[in-house]
Amino acid sequence: MDTQDFMPNETVLARIRADIEAYEAERQTTRRNAAIRVPAYLISIIVIVVILALALNSFADPNEQWVSALHVFLYVGGLVALFVAYRSATSPVRRLQTSFRARLLPTIFSFVDDLKYQKGATPASAARLPKDTIGDFDRITYDDEISGAWQGFGFEIYEAVFSQRSVKAPSTVFRGVVVALETERAFPGVLVATRKANRVSSFFHGIFGNDLQEIRSGVDVLDSAYDFRTDNPTAALPLVTGRMAQALQWLGEAWPEEPARIALKDRDAFLLLPQSKNFFELPDVSLPLDYKSHVVPMIADLASLLATGALVRRIGDADARPERS
C-alpha cells in the first residue's frame, strides 16, 4: 500500500496552504492589534485616574491629598477598570487561542470528505471495539478525533488512553491512536491480534477470560509477539496465516515502537497504534505556524495512517472463507 496514493493532489495542497497562510496572517494581525490596544487602553485609564485624583485634591483636606477616602475608592475603581480594559483588549487573542485546534485541524485535513472534528467526546465506534483488544480497564479518556471518508471508505481516528485503577496509581493499559473502519467483507465473529501477554496473564485469561480461543499464525516472529484470539477459529485461521500476518509484518516495519493491535468484528475493523506523543500535535499557540514544518508532516502522517487502515480493512477479503462455525 503506497502512502502517496492517499496524499491529496497538488491543487488541494495549494488550497490548504492558502487557508493556513490566511489563518496565520489573521493571527498575526490580531496579535499586533492587541499589542497596540493593551498599552492604549491601560494608559487611557491611568490618565483618567490621575486627572480625577487631581480634581479631588482641589477640595480634599490638605492632610489627605492623594489619600482621602474618595481617592482610595478612585484607585480601587481604577484597578478594576485596568483589569476590564486589559481583558477587553486581549479578548480577540483569547478567542483565537480557544479555537486554535478546533479551527486548525479541520483546515489541515480539509481534503477529507465529510470531515468532522471533536475533542473529548466518545467516538461512535467506541462501543463496538472488542474489549479483548485492550485488556482490563475501567477508565477511558478521549482526546482529539476526526472522522470522514477518503479514497472510498469511511473512518474514525481518535486518540485514547485506557487505564486501570489500582491502590497506588492508575496503570495505563493502552495509550495511542485508534483507527476504526468498515471492512470490505464482514468477518463472522471476533478476531483480535494483541501484543503477547506474559505467562501469568495468559493463564488467568484462560481461566477467567471470555470464549475467545487462541490460535497461531505459524510465523514464529509474529507468534512470539502476538496473541491471536477468536470465537470463530475456522474462519479466522486463513486470515491469521495470510493477510493478517502480512499486515502485522508491514506494521512492524512502519510502526516499530510497540506492536500494533488489530481487531475484526462483523463489519468493523480496528487498528490500534500505541504511541506516547500526540498524533495531532500542533505547535504552541504562541508560535508562528509554518506550512512546511508543521502542516505537511501532519498531512503525511494522516495519509500513512489511512494507507495502513486501507490495508487492515481488506484483511477479511479472502477469495474463499468458511462460514461461521
Tab-separated table of all heavy atoms in Angstrom, residues 95-138:
chain	number	residue	atom	x	y	z
A	95	ARG	N	-9.850	34.446	22.038
A	95	ARG	CA	-10.775	33.695	21.186
A	95	ARG	C	-10.020	32.853	20.173
A	95	ARG	O	-10.384	31.701	19.902
A	95	ARG	CB	-11.736	34.649	20.476
A	95	ARG	CG	-12.848	35.183	21.368
A	95	ARG	CD	-13.970	35.775	20.544
A	95	ARG	NE	-13.525	36.937	19.788
A	95	ARG	CZ	-13.568	38.186	20.237
A	95	ARG	NH1	-14.046	38.438	21.444
A	95	ARG	NH2	-13.151	39.186	19.492
A	96	LEU	N	-8.955	33.418	19.611
A	96	LEU	CA	-8.143	32.649	18.667
A	96	LEU	C	-7.460	31.467	19.357
A	96	LEU	O	-7.371	30.373	18.801
A	96	LEU	CB	-7.087	33.553	18.018
A	96	LEU	CG	-7.507	34.325	16.770
A	96	LEU	CD1	-6.346	35.180	16.272
A	96	LEU	CD2	-7.978	33.394	15.669
A	97	GLN	N	-6.966	31.693	20.568
A	97	GLN	CA	-6.306	30.614	21.294
A	97	GLN	C	-7.284	29.495	21.629
A	97	GLN	O	-6.953	28.312	21.511
A	97	GLN	CB	-5.673	31.163	22.573
A	97	GLN	CG	-4.481	32.074	22.322
A	97	GLN	CD	-3.952	32.702	23.601
A	97	GLN	OE1	-4.681	32.837	24.585
A	97	GLN	NE2	-2.702	33.111	23.593
A	98	THR	N	-8.504	29.853	22.025
A	98	THR	CA	-9.505	28.852	22.383
A	98	THR	C	-9.901	28.007	21.183
A	98	THR	O	-10.109	26.798	21.286
A	98	THR	CB	-10.747	29.546	22.979
A	98	THR	OG1	-10.352	30.309	24.121
A	98	THR	CG2	-11.787	28.516	23.389
A	99	SER	N	-9.994	28.638	20.015
A	99	SER	CA	-10.458	27.936	18.817
A	99	SER	C	-9.309	27.398	17.965
A	99	SER	O	-9.537	26.916	16.854
A	99	SER	CB	-11.308	28.880	17.961
A	99	SER	OG	-10.525	29.979	17.499
A	100	PHE	N	-8.087	27.466	18.485
A	100	PHE	CA	-6.898	27.128	17.693
A	100	PHE	C	-7.000	25.731	17.092
A	100	PHE	O	-6.945	25.547	15.874
A	100	PHE	CB	-5.659	27.249	18.582
A	100	PHE	CG	-4.351	27.006	17.868
A	100	PHE	CD1	-3.935	27.826	16.839
A	100	PHE	CD2	-3.519	25.956	18.256
A	100	PHE	CE1	-2.729	27.614	16.199
A	100	PHE	CE2	-2.310	25.741	17.624
A	100	PHE	CZ	-1.915	26.573	16.594
A	101	ARG	N	-7.180	24.701	17.924
A	101	ARG	CA	-7.232	23.326	17.430
A	101	ARG	C	-8.513	23.061	16.649
A	101	ARG	O	-8.488	22.413	15.603
A	101	ARG	CB	-7.120	22.342	18.604
A	101	ARG	CG	-5.836	22.424	19.374
A	101	ARG	CD	-5.746	21.336	20.430
A	101	ARG	NE	-5.553	20.034	19.852
A	101	ARG	CZ	-4.376	19.555	19.441
A	101	ARG	NH1	-3.298	20.310	19.538
A	101	ARG	NH2	-4.279	18.346	18.929
A	102	ALA	N	-9.634	23.560	17.177
A	102	ALA	CA	-10.919	23.287	16.539
A	102	ALA	C	-10.989	23.889	15.135
A	102	ALA	O	-11.708	23.382	14.271
A	102	ALA	CB	-12.054	23.824	17.398
A	103	ARG	N	-10.268	24.951	14.905
A	103	ARG	CA	-10.280	25.570	13.569
A	103	ARG	C	-9.163	25.027	12.695
A	103	ARG	O	-9.347	24.822	11.492
A	103	ARG	CB	-10.140	27.085	13.701
A	103	ARG	CG	-10.128	27.799	12.357
A	103	ARG	CD	-10.217	29.285	12.509
A	103	ARG	NE	-10.069	29.960	11.224
A	103	ARG	CZ	-10.090	31.272	11.058
A	103	ARG	NH1	-10.319	32.044	12.111
A	103	ARG	NH2	-9.924	31.814	9.876
A	104	LEU	N	-7.988	24.775	13.305
A	104	LEU	CA	-6.826	24.420	12.508
A	104	LEU	C	-6.868	22.983	11.992
A	104	LEU	O	-6.559	22.721	10.819
A	104	LEU	CB	-5.554	24.641	13.330
A	104	LEU	CG	-4.250	24.791	12.543
A	104	LEU	CD1	-4.387	25.875	11.487
A	104	LEU	CD2	-3.102	25.112	13.478
A	105	LEU	N	-7.250	22.030	12.846
A	105	LEU	CA	-7.260	20.631	12.412
A	105	LEU	C	-8.214	20.398	11.235
A	105	LEU	O	-7.840	19.741	10.256
A	105	LEU	CB	-7.588	19.712	13.587
A	105	LEU	CG	-6.458	19.548	14.611
A	105	LEU	CD1	-6.923	18.692	15.779
A	105	LEU	CD2	-5.219	18.934	13.979
A	106	PRO	N	-9.456	20.911	11.269
A	106	PRO	CA	-10.305	20.754	10.087
A	106	PRO	C	-9.754	21.429	8.841
A	106	PRO	O	-9.997	20.973	7.721
A	106	PRO	CB	-11.629	21.405	10.522
A	106	PRO	CG	-11.636	21.281	12.011
A	106	PRO	CD	-10.203	21.474	12.411
A	107	THR	N	-8.990	22.506	9.025
A	107	THR	CA	-8.379	23.168	7.872
A	107	THR	C	-7.273	22.308	7.281
A	107	THR	O	-7.183	22.126	6.058
A	107	THR	CB	-7.812	24.544	8.283
A	107	THR	OG1	-8.867	25.355	8.798
A	107	THR	CG2	-7.182	25.248	7.093
A	108	ILE	N	-6.428	21.745	8.141
A	108	ILE	CA	-5.316	20.916	7.664
A	108	ILE	C	-5.836	19.672	6.955
A	108	ILE	O	-5.303	19.257	5.921
A	108	ILE	CB	-4.408	20.523	8.850
A	108	ILE	CG1	-3.709	21.767	9.410
A	108	ILE	CG2	-3.370	19.486	8.425
A	108	ILE	CD1	-2.936	21.508	10.684
A	109	PHE	N	-6.882	19.070	7.503
A	109	PHE	CA	-7.403	17.821	6.943
A	109	PHE	C	-8.653	18.051	6.089
A	109	PHE	O	-9.495	17.167	5.953
A	109	PHE	CB	-7.729	16.845	8.079
A	109	PHE	CG	-6.549	16.505	8.943
A	109	PHE	CD1	-6.649	16.513	10.322
A	109	PHE	CD2	-5.323	16.197	8.376
A	109	PHE	CE1	-5.552	16.203	11.120
A	109	PHE	CE2	-4.222	15.885	9.162
A	109	PHE	CZ	-4.334	15.894	10.536
A	110	SER	N	-8.759	19.222	5.509
A	110	SER	CA	-9.948	19.562	4.729
A	110	SER	C	-10.069	18.753	3.443
A	110	SER	O	-11.118	18.783	2.797
A	110	SER	CB	-9.955	21.059	4.395
A	110	SER	OG	-8.804	21.414	3.632
A	111	PHE	N	-9.031	18.020	3.064
A	111	PHE	CA	-9.122	17.174	1.875
A	111	PHE	C	-9.983	15.931	2.141
A	111	PHE	O	-10.385	15.241	1.198
A	111	PHE	CB	-7.730	16.742	1.408
A	111	PHE	CG	-6.952	15.921	2.402
A	111	PHE	CD1	-7.019	14.537	2.378
A	111	PHE	CD2	-6.144	16.532	3.352
A	111	PHE	CE1	-6.296	13.775	3.284
A	111	PHE	CE2	-5.420	15.786	4.261
A	111	PHE	CZ	-5.501	14.397	4.230
A	112	VAL	N	-10.269	15.652	3.401
A	112	VAL	CA	-11.117	14.507	3.759
A	112	VAL	C	-12.576	14.870	3.518
A	112	VAL	O	-13.030	15.958	3.897
A	112	VAL	CB	-10.894	14.114	5.232
A	112	VAL	CG1	-11.883	13.047	5.671
A	112	VAL	CG2	-9.467	13.630	5.439
A	113	ASP	N	-13.326	13.979	2.894
A	113	ASP	CA	-14.748	14.220	2.639
A	113	ASP	C	-15.540	14.090	3.942
A	113	ASP	O	-15.253	13.230	4.779
A	113	ASP	CB	-15.293	13.217	1.612
A	113	ASP	CG	-14.575	13.323	0.266
A	113	ASP	OD1	-14.201	14.455	-0.105
A	113	ASP	OD2	-14.378	12.276	-0.386
A	114	ASP	N	-16.557	14.937	4.080
A	114	ASP	CA	-17.459	14.896	5.238
A	114	ASP	C	-16.683	14.937	6.552
A	114	ASP	O	-17.021	14.226	7.517
A	114	ASP	CB	-18.341	13.632	5.208
A	114	ASP	CG	-19.196	13.552	3.949
A	114	ASP	OD1	-19.670	14.601	3.491
A	114	ASP	OD2	-19.359	12.435	3.418
A	115	LEU	N	-15.654	15.755	6.604
A	115	LEU	CA	-14.799	15.813	7.794
A	115	LEU	C	-15.558	16.356	8.997
A	115	LEU	O	-16.269	17.349	8.911
A	115	LEU	CB	-13.586	16.701	7.515
A	115	LEU	CG	-12.611	16.872	8.695
A	115	LEU	CD1	-11.839	15.585	8.924
A	115	LEU	CD2	-11.668	18.027	8.464
A	116	LYS	N	-15.395	15.679	10.118
A	116	LYS	CA	-15.931	16.149	11.395
A	116	LYS	C	-14.813	16.082	12.427
A	116	LYS	O	-13.998	15.155	12.428
A	116	LYS	CB	-17.116	15.290	11.858
A	116	LYS	CG	-18.342	15.378	10.955
A	116	LYS	CD	-19.475	14.524	11.498
A	116	LYS	CE	-20.722	14.646	10.633
A	116	LYS	NZ	-20.501	14.160	9.255
A	117	TYR	N	-14.781	17.068	13.306
A	117	TYR	CA	-13.771	17.117	14.366
A	117	TYR	C	-14.463	17.305	15.702
A	117	TYR	O	-15.415	18.074	15.824
A	117	TYR	CB	-12.796	18.275	14.132
A	117	TYR	CG	-11.903	18.545	15.336
A	117	TYR	CD1	-10.813	17.727	15.613
A	117	TYR	CD2	-12.173	19.603	16.201
A	117	TYR	CE1	-10.002	17.958	16.724
A	117	TYR	CE2	-11.370	19.848	17.312
A	117	TYR	CZ	-10.285	19.018	17.565
A	117	TYR	OH	-9.499	19.248	18.669
A	118	GLN	N	-13.998	16.568	16.707
A	118	GLN	CA	-14.458	16.776	18.067
A	118	GLN	C	-13.334	16.424	19.028
A	118	GLN	O	-12.392	15.716	18.673
A	118	GLN	CB	-15.712	15.965	18.369
A	118	GLN	CG	-15.564	14.461	18.260
A	118	GLN	CD	-16.860	13.732	18.582
A	118	GLN	OE1	-17.892	14.340	18.851
A	118	GLN	NE2	-16.809	12.417	18.568
A	119	LYS	N	-13.462	16.922	20.228
A	119	LYS	CA	-12.414	16.703	21.230
A	119	LYS	C	-13.067	16.293	22.540
A	119	LYS	O	-13.988	16.958	23.028
A	119	LYS	CB	-11.604	17.988	21.436
A	119	LYS	CG	-10.439	17.848	22.429
A	119	LYS	CD	-9.687	19.166	22.545
A	119	LYS	CE	-8.546	19.060	23.549
A	119	LYS	NZ	-7.480	18.153	23.101
A	120	GLY	N	-12.608	15.170	23.089
A	120	GLY	CA	-13.068	14.739	24.394
A	120	GLY	C	-14.382	13.988	24.396
A	120	GLY	O	-14.830	13.552	25.457
A	121	ALA	N	-15.012	13.826	23.229
A	121	ALA	CA	-16.293	13.120	23.161
A	121	ALA	C	-16.060	11.643	22.849
A	121	ALA	O	-15.003	11.254	22.334
A	121	ALA	CB	-17.188	13.745	22.099
A	122	THR	N	-17.055	10.820	23.145
A	122	THR	CA	-16.951	9.390	22.877
A	122	THR	C	-17.189	9.119	21.392
A	122	THR	O	-18.247	9.480	20.868
A	122	THR	CB	-17.981	8.604	23.700
A	122	THR	OG1	-17.765	8.867	25.089
A	122	THR	CG2	-17.845	7.105	23.449
A	123	PRO	N	-16.244	8.503	20.694
A	123	PRO	CA	-16.430	8.206	19.266
A	123	PRO	C	-17.572	7.234	19.037
A	123	PRO	O	-17.890	6.399	19.899
A	123	PRO	CB	-15.085	7.587	18.858
A	123	PRO	CG	-14.111	8.034	19.902
A	123	PRO	CD	-14.897	8.134	21.166
A	124	ALA	N	-18.188	7.320	17.874
A	124	ALA	CA	-19.345	6.477	17.560
A	124	ALA	C	-18.991	4.995	17.567
A	124	ALA	O	-19.808	4.147	17.928
A	124	ALA	CB	-19.923	6.886	16.205
A	125	SER	N	-17.757	4.662	17.165
A	125	SER	CA	-17.368	3.254	17.050
A	125	SER	C	-16.838	2.666	18.355
A	125	SER	O	-16.565	1.465	18.426
A	125	SER	CB	-16.289	3.103	15.969
A	125	SER	OG	-15.111	3.803	16.349
A	126	ALA	N	-16.668	3.485	19.382
A	126	ALA	CA	-16.006	3.026	20.608
A	126	ALA	C	-16.724	1.840	21.248
A	126	ALA	O	-16.083	0.917	21.767
A	126	ALA	CB	-15.895	4.177	21.605
A	127	ALA	N	-18.048	1.851	21.219
A	127	ALA	CA	-18.803	0.775	21.855
A	127	ALA	C	-18.638	-0.562	21.136
A	127	ALA	O	-18.869	-1.618	21.718
A	127	ALA	CB	-20.285	1.148	21.918
A	128	ARG	N	-18.212	-0.521	19.868
A	128	ARG	CA	-18.071	-1.757	19.088
A	128	ARG	C	-16.660	-2.321	19.145
A	128	ARG	O	-16.407	-3.416	18.629
A	128	ARG	CB	-18.466	-1.494	17.627
A	128	ARG	CG	-19.883	-0.960	17.477
A	128	ARG	CD	-20.339	-0.994	16.025
A	128	ARG	NE	-19.492	-0.215	15.137
A	128	ARG	CZ	-19.650	1.077	14.892
A	128	ARG	NH1	-20.612	1.758	15.497
A	128	ARG	NH2	-18.852	1.712	14.044
A	129	LEU	N	-15.723	-1.619	19.750
A	129	LEU	CA	-14.349	-2.100	19.859
A	129	LEU	C	-14.293	-3.291	20.809
A	129	LEU	O	-14.668	-3.176	21.979
A	129	LEU	CB	-13.438	-0.985	20.383
A	129	LEU	CG	-11.986	-1.354	20.682
A	129	LEU	CD1	-11.259	-1.765	19.395
A	129	LEU	CD2	-11.264	-0.178	21.345
A	130	PRO	N	-13.851	-4.470	20.337
A	130	PRO	CA	-13.777	-5.637	21.235
A	130	PRO	C	-12.871	-5.361	22.429
A	130	PRO	O	-11.736	-4.909	22.263
A	130	PRO	CB	-13.186	-6.733	20.330
A	130	PRO	CG	-13.528	-6.307	18.943
A	130	PRO	CD	-13.461	-4.808	18.950
A	131	LYS	N	-13.377	-5.644	23.623
A	131	LYS	CA	-12.617	-5.341	24.829
A	131	LYS	C	-11.309	-6.116	24.880
A	131	LYS	O	-10.321	-5.643	25.451
A	131	LYS	CB	-13.475	-5.648	26.061
A	131	LYS	CG	-12.817	-5.235	27.375
A	131	LYS	CD	-13.722	-5.462	28.568
A	131	LYS	CE	-13.019	-5.041	29.851
A	131	LYS	NZ	-13.874	-5.260	31.042
A	132	ASP	N	-11.268	-7.313	24.293
A	132	ASP	CA	-10.043	-8.109	24.317
A	132	ASP	C	-8.894	-7.433	23.584
A	132	ASP	O	-7.733	-7.802	23.785
A	132	ASP	CB	-10.308	-9.486	23.706
A	132	ASP	CG	-11.055	-10.404	24.659
A	132	ASP	OD1	-12.280	-10.258	24.764
A	132	ASP	OD2	-10.417	-11.234	25.308
A	133	THR	N	-9.199	-6.478	22.732
A	133	THR	CA	-8.141	-5.750	22.036
A	133	THR	C	-7.345	-4.893	23.007
A	133	THR	O	-6.156	-4.645	22.805
A	133	THR	CB	-8.739	-4.855	20.937
A	133	THR	OG1	-9.733	-5.577	20.218
A	133	THR	CG2	-7.656	-4.389	19.975
A	134	ILE	N	-7.989	-4.455	24.072
A	134	ILE	CA	-7.353	-3.567	25.044
A	134	ILE	C	-6.845	-4.334	26.252
A	134	ILE	O	-5.711	-4.182	26.678
A	134	ILE	CB	-8.341	-2.477	25.513
A	134	ILE	CG1	-8.875	-1.686	24.309
A	134	ILE	CG2	-7.672	-1.545	26.510
A	134	ILE	CD1	-7.837	-0.917	23.568
A	135	GLY	N	-7.695	-5.167	26.834
A	135	GLY	CA	-7.381	-5.819	28.104
A	135	GLY	C	-8.295	-5.271	29.180
A	135	GLY	O	-9.341	-4.676	28.902
A	136	ASP	N	-7.917	-5.447	30.431
A	136	ASP	CA	-8.734	-4.982	31.556
A	136	ASP	C	-8.523	-3.490	31.776
A	136	ASP	O	-7.389	-3.029	31.966
A	136	ASP	CB	-8.373	-5.749	32.831
A	136	ASP	CG	-8.750	-7.221	32.730
A	136	ASP	OD1	-9.756	-7.530	32.056
A	136	ASP	OD2	-8.026	-8.056	33.322
A	137	PHE	N	-9.598	-2.735	31.765
A	137	PHE	CA	-9.535	-1.305	32.023
A	137	PHE	C	-10.861	-0.868	32.630
A	137	PHE	O	-11.893	-1.517	32.462
A	137	PHE	CB	-9.255	-0.514	30.733
A	137	PHE	CG	-10.339	-0.626	29.695
A	137	PHE	CD1	-11.387	0.290	29.656
A	137	PHE	CD2	-10.319	-1.640	28.756
A	137	PHE	CE1	-12.389	0.192	28.712
A	137	PHE	CE2	-11.316	-1.750	27.796
A	137	PHE	CZ	-12.359	-0.831	27.785
A	138	ASP	N	-10.845	0.243	33.344
A	138	ASP	CA	-12.075	0.775	33.918
A	138	ASP	C	-12.181	2.286	33.748
A	138	ASP	O	-13.045	2.937	34.326
A	138	ASP	CB	-12.204	0.417	35.407
A	138	ASP	CG	-10.973	0.803	36.217
A	138	ASP	OD1	-10.214	1.687	35.761
A	138	ASP	OD2	-10.756	0.215	37.297
